[in-house]
Amino acid sequence: MSIQGLLLEVRVTGCRKLRDTEFFSRQDPYVIVEYANTKLRTRTCTDGGRNPSFDEKFHIPLIEGLRELSINVWNSNTINTDDFIGSCRVPLNKVLTSGYDDASWPLQTRHMKSAGEVKLIMHFDVSAMKNKMAGKTSGQYAPSPYGASSASYPAPSAYAAAPPPHQAYGAPSHAPYPAPSAYSTPPPQQPYPTPPPQQPYPQQGGPPTSHPPQPYGQPYPPQPYGQPYPPQPYGQQPYPPQPYGQPYPPPSAAQSPYPPAPYPGAYPPRPY
C-alpha cells in the first residue's frame, strides 16, 4: 500500500536520563525531528537538565519508500555552539500498520555510547490509506464514458484456421527411369595390336652396304694424312714453312739492315 502524501502525527513528550554536557549549571535541551528534507525543532526546555519535557506535536507528509525518522537531541548554549547530546533512528513499520505507536527510543553518542532516551507518540490514519487504495482500484474498472458499441465483433479464435490441404501431384506421363545397378558393367576392352617382327641386324662379314662406315670425327671422303684440302697435284709442293718471325718472302742479303755476321744467327732478326 502506498503512503505517498499521507500525514504522520508525531508527538515529542520528553526525554529521560540524558547525558549531561554542563559542569557548573543545568543544560537546556531541545529535540530536532528529521524526515527526508523536513526538519522540525521543538522549543528549548530551559534548565531541563537530564529529564526535560516538551509535549509538542508535528504533522509530517510521508514519502513512498522512506519509512524512518531521525531524532537528534542538543543542548542550547548562549555563548558557545550547541552541544550534541545523542541521536537515534525510529522505524515507522508499526505505526503504519496499526496506526499507533507509543515507545521510548534509546539515544547514542557519536562514539556509540548511551546518551539517555526520548519518548515519542505517533498516530497514522490507516483508513485513509485504505480508502486511497480503494479509489485507485475502483477507477481502474470505471465504465467507459463513450458507452458500449452496438456493433459486435466475433470473438477471436484461439487457433488460426488450418490452410487447405495441398493437392497431390499427378502421376508422371513418361516411364520411370530404370533403377541403377549396384555395380555397373565395364565396357569390353580392345586388344592391343601385335607389333611387327623386327628385322635382324646384318652380321659382320656380310655384303657391304652402299656407303662404308666412316671413322668418327673424319669428313667424307677421308683425306690422306698430312695433306690439305683439296689435294695438290703430285710433284707440286705447297709453300715451304717460313722461319718464325720472318716475313714472306725472306729479304735478300743486300736489303738486310744488319752487317753480315761471321756466324749466322748472331744478330737478332729484323723487327716487324
Side-chain angles (χ1 to χ4, degrees):
M1 292 184 294
S2 176
I3 61 173
Q4 183 69 31
L6 300 180
L7 295 179
L8 174 67
E9 180 181 310
V10 180
R11 181 180 178 186
V12 183
T13 58
C15 300
R16 293 181 57 191
K17 300 179 181 179
L18 292 179
R19 182 173 67 93
D20 195 354
T21 58
E22 295 289 346
F23 296 99
F24 304 103
S25 61
R26 295 172 63 89
Q27 60 185 3
D28 305 323
Y30 63 91
V31 178
I32 294 179
V33 180
E34 295 184 10
Y35 180 81
N37 296 329
T38 303
K39 183 180 292 187
L40 304 172
R41 182 184 186 278
T42 65
R43 62 176 178 85
T44 301
C45 183
T46 306
D47 295 334
R50 299 186 61 189
N51 300 296
S53 297
F54 304 100
D55 197 16
E56 293 193 29
K57 188 185 299 184
F58 305 102
H59 292 88
I60 302 174
L62 296 177
I63 299 175
E64 181 62 32
L66 182 58
R67 304 193 177 192
E68 187 180 67
L69 294 178
S70 178
I71 307 297
N72 298 287
V73 182
W74 295 81
N75 174 35
S76 178
N77 292 323
T78 56
I79 301 176
N80 299 327
T81 57
D82 296 349
D83 300 323
F84 176 74
I85 297 177
S87 64
C88 67
R89 293 185 177 275
V90 179
L92 305 178
N93 297 329
K94 182 179 178 181
V95 65
L96 295 178
T97 304
S98 61
Y100 178 79
D101 188 6
D102 182 3
S104 297
W105 304 93
L107 301 172
Q108 291 182 342
T109 63
R110 293 189 177 95
H111 300 287
M112 306 302 293
K113 294 183 179 180
S114 177
E117 60 184 17
V118 58
K119 184 174 179 60
L120 302 178
I121 300 176
M122 296 182 289
H123 292 272
F124 177 71
D125 190 359
V126 180
S127 60
M129 181 173 58
K130 293 181 179 180
N131 294 337
K132 182 178 180 180
M133 294 302 298
K136 289 184 177 180
T137 306
S138 61
Q140 294 178 358
Y141 300 97
S144 174
Y146 300 100
S149 176
S150 58
S152 60
Y153 295 94
S157 175
Y159 300 95
H166 297 282
Q167 296 182 0
Y169 293 99
S173 59
H174 58 81
Y177 293 99
S181 176
Y183 300 95
S184 59
T185 304
Q189 297 183 357
Q190 298 293 334
Y192 292 98
T194 305
Q198 297 181 0
Q199 299 292 333
Y201 291 98
Q203 299 180 0
Q204 298 291 336
T209 59
S210 58
H211 299 284
Q214 302 296 328
Y216 178 77
Q218 293 184 3
Y220 184 82
Q223 302 294 330
Y225 179 78
Q227 294 184 4
Y229 186 86
Q232 302 293 330
Y234 182 77
Q236 185 177 358
Q237 298 294 333
Y239 294 103
Q242 302 297 325
Y244 177 78
Q246 293 184 4
Y248 184 83
S252 60
Q255 297 178 356
S256 176
Y258 302 99
Y263 300 98
Y267 291 95
R270 182 180 178 181
Y272 297 110

